[in-house]
């Protein structure tokens, strides 16, 4: 761990307990773990906006049709309200 010894780790842990309290530390550790898991998952999979591979025209047409349908539903909901 970056050249930290046992004494330094204990001092850091003691400071964290004093600052945040022993009840909040497990929740904070869980949220940091979840955030790291999401970050790793997002960086591991290929990005949809990667321009190195071409997107087939049919999928673009399908996406446009779906967006038009969603817009029509939103307009219908807005006119009801």
């Amino acid at each position: 761990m970056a050249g930290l010894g046992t004494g330094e780790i204990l001092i850091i842990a003691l400071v964290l307990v004093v600052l945040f309290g022993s009840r909040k530390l497990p929740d904070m550790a869980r949220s940091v773990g979840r955030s790291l898991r999401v970050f790793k998952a997002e960086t591991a999979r290929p990005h949809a906006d990667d321009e190195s591979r071409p997107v087939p025209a049919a999928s673009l047409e399908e996406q446009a049709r779906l967006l038009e349908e969603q817009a029509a539903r939103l307009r219908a909901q807005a006119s009801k309200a």
Side-chain angles (χ1 to χ4, degrees):
M1 274 190 94
L4 294 176
T6 307
E8 289 92 356
I9 292 175
L10 289 175
I11 291 172
I12 292 171
L14 180 66
V15 169
L16 287 174
V17 169
V18 169
L19 286 177
F20 298 109
S22 60
R23 291 185 182 171
K24 289 188 180 181
L25 282 179
D27 293 333
M28 289 175 57
R30 267 187 230 108
S31 32
V32 167
R34 285 186 198 124
S35 299
L36 285 175
R37 202 172 325 131
V38 168
F39 178 75
K40 285 181 183 179
E42 289 295 323
T43 56
R45 76 175 122 140
H47 296 286
D49 60 347
D50 187 16
E51 295 180 17
S52 62
R53 20 174 209 163
V55 177
S59 69
L60 291 176
E61 292 171 359
E62 180 68 20
Q63 289 177 1
R65 186 184 61 76
L66 290 173
L67 285 173
E68 288 174 2
E69 290 175 1
Q70 288 177 347
R73 280 191 296 250
L74 288 173
R75 281 190 216 106
Q77 288 176 354
S79 66
K80 289 179 184 178

